[in-house]
Amino acid sequence: MELLLNILLFSVGLLAIIKGADWLTDGAASIARRFGIPSIVVGLTIVAIGSSAPEFVVSVLSAVQGNVDIALGNIVGSNIFNILGIMGATALVRPVEVQRGNVRYDVPFAVLSSIVIAITALIPGSCDTTEISRTDGLMMLCMFAIFIYYTISIAINQKSSDQQSSHEEVLWKAIVGVIVGLACLVLGGKGMVNGASGIASAMGISESIIALTIVSIGTSAPELAASVMAAKKGDTAMALGNVVGSVVFNVFFVLGTAAAIQPLGIGGITPADILILLASSVILWVFCAFGKKYYTITRTEGTFFVILMVAYYIYLKINS
């Protein structure tokens, strides 16, 4: 009975954060487009941050409650799923065209975020212990500020020619959507963290495995939906921006905030998990810059991403 209650709590929390992220993202994107912000910038910031809000809520609440494995595992697992699962699925729907600026600046930010998490998580600190300290967290937040500054500078230099909406009712609805979405995220995130911890305890499975799989896939559902829908509509620039922005946001802001609140030990997250994340981000950059079709992630490369994702989950199953 306890297991069923925890599964129900997890499921209700997951539904709440997915809907909350959906409302938050739609509202924020509507507000952004009203002021003529370019599609790639919306993807890198508004959509990425909105769709990554579940990771933020789950990881920060986990850090506050002392569930270190869930806090860190959610970030590592979500970013692996973002790059391999979501980017792969997006490319299968429609080949992703990559602009020269994305190859030079945006995607390398994703690689940099993976390098940072590898260095801070795998190299022992001054006390000869391996943890992501408050200092590391503050450094990540500074790097996030640099990323946002860079992205805003793009918005200033590349103003969209889209017509601005003049309907006050549309803006009002967008603001309400943002507020309601945030409320759902907070309440749903709390239920999801408690449910995941309870499921792990009841089934005798480590919280790190739960975080790397069920929790990370669940919190990444908004990114998956946002990217696939953008690809279906032919807006692959937003799809790519959503994935890259989410990866950067998860490490520099979400993990940075969580570590600044509570230093995070590595717990059950293995060096292999973090190295797989690093390798995934490097492969993404290689496919963008030197793939079969220059500046395009093809369906073949998308299939390769999905195969790697499945192989990783098989690896987790074998080693659980």
Side-chain angles (χ1 to χ4, degrees), residues 135-156:
T135 301
D136 294 331
L138 293 174
M139 177 196 68
M140 291 177 186
L141 289 174
C142 290
M143 298 182 81
F144 178 72
I146 294 173
F147 174 72
I148 290 297
Y149 173 79
Y150 153 74
T151 307
I152 291 176
S153 69
I154 293 178
I156 294 175

Side-chain angles (χ1 to χ4, degrees), residues 36-292:
I37 299 177
S39 180
I40 183 63
V41 176
V42 174
L44 282 167
T45 54
I46 302 298
V47 177
I49 292 173
S51 58
S52 292
E55 285 94 331
F56 176 77
V57 174
V58 169
S59 289
V60 171
L61 286 177
S62 296
V64 171
Q65 296 177 13
N67 297 320
V68 176
D69 280 357
I70 293 180
L72 181 57
N74 179 41
I75 298 302
V76 174
S78 292
N79 278 8
I80 292 174
F81 184 75
N82 276 336
I83 295 172
L84 298 181
I86 297 178
M87 204 70 255
T90 301
L92 287 175
V93 172
R94 183 186 296 269
V96 179
E97 296 181 0
V98 185
Q99 297 176 3
R100 184 182 297 271
N102 303 143
V103 176
R104 289 183 175 179
Y105 306 111
D106 301 328
V107 179
F109 260 111
V111 178
L112 176 62
S113 71
S114 298
I115 293 173
V116 168
I117 195 173
I119 292 174
T120 56
L122 299 180
I123 298 179
S126 58
C127 298
D128 202 30
T129 58
T130 303
E131 71 170 10
I132 301 177
S133 65
R134 284 193 174 93
T135 301
D136 294 331
L138 293 174
M139 177 196 68
M140 291 177 186
L141 289 174
C142 290
M143 298 182 81
F144 178 72
I146 294 173
F147 174 72
I148 290 297
Y149 173 79
Y150 153 74
T151 307
I152 291 176
S153 69
I154 293 178
I156 294 175
N157 294 327
Q158 300 178 14
K159 274 290 185 180
S160 171
S161 61
D162 293 341
Q163 287 283 340
Q164 294 185 9
S165 171
S166 61
H167 299 290
E168 293 293 334
E169 183 181 1
V170 174
L171 181 60
W172 177 81
K173 287 183 178 179
I175 294 173
V176 170
V178 169
I179 295 173
V180 174
L182 285 172
C184 288
L185 284 170
V186 174
L187 296 176
K190 189 173 182 61
M192 193 172 175
V193 170
N194 292 336
S197 181
I199 292 171
S201 177
M203 297 183 65
I205 302 175
S206 68
E207 289 188 349
S208 61
I209 296 297
I210 293 291
L212 285 167
T213 54
I214 298 174
V215 175
S216 63
I217 293 174
T219 55
S220 295
E223 287 100 319
L224 176 61
S227 292
V228 170
M229 289 305 297
K232 283 185 175 181
K233 296 176 182 178
D235 195 351
T236 55
M238 177 164 305
L240 176 66
N242 178 37
V243 169
V244 172
S246 295
V247 168
V248 174
F249 180 80
N250 284 344
V251 175
F252 290 154
F253 188 75
V254 177
L255 187 59
T257 301
I261 294 173
Q262 177 68 43
L264 303 175
I266 302 308
I269 308 303
T270 67
D273 298 316
I274 296 174
L275 291 177
I276 287 170
L277 169 60
L278 177 58
S280 300
S281 62
V282 172
I283 292 172
L284 173 63
W285 178 76
V286 169
F287 279 177
C288 287
F290 308 105
K292 183 177 179 181

